[in-house]
Amino acid sequence: MLLGPSLALSAVLFVLGVAGVLIRRNAIVVFMCVELMLNAVNLSFVALAQLHGVGGQIMVFFVMTVAAAEAAVGLAIILAIFRHTQSVDLAHINLLKG
């Protein structure tokens, strides 16, 4: 696997994820963009593992574990918000305002 194209693809995926988080207002799309950013970081860890050993690949397993936990908790929160407001638009969610 070539290091340069892998890191370039990782950077493009991460920028797309950041743009999606900043631009979109749908909670599910924002959630998917966070997952895209985590996968971009995983790709860069795997690409850099060629140079620095298996430490990057081991870190990918930790990131995948955190991403799985984040997906479970995040989808539960989004589902609870949808049941309460009948919408997943982040502009209409103000439950934490006093």
Side-chain angles (χ1 to χ4, degrees):
M1 183 164 55
L2 298 174
L3 182 62
S6 299
L7 291 178
L9 178 63
S10 173
V12 169
L13 290 175
F14 192 82
V15 168
L16 286 174
V18 169
V21 167
L22 294 177
I23 294 172
R24 301 302 299 251
R25 296 190 180 248
N26 188 334
I28 294 177
V29 174
V30 170
F31 196 67
M32 289 190 309
C33 289
V34 170
E35 294 290 330
L36 186 63
M37 287 190 291
L38 289 174
N39 285 327
V41 171
N42 283 342
L43 179 61
S44 66
F45 275 141
V46 171
L48 290 173
Q50 293 177 348
L51 299 176
H52 301 289
V54 296
Q57 293 174 349
I58 292 171
M59 187 60 112
V60 167
F61 286 115
F62 289 117
V63 172
M64 289 172 63
T65 304
V66 170
E70 178 243 344
V73 173
L75 286 175
I77 291 171
I78 291 172
L79 186 62
I81 289 172
F82 179 75
R83 286 183 180 171
H84 183 71
T85 63
Q86 297 298 319
S87 173
V88 290
D89 189 6
L90 294 176
H92 295 71
I93 297 172
N94 56 3
L95 295 174
L96 296 179
K97 289 183 180 176

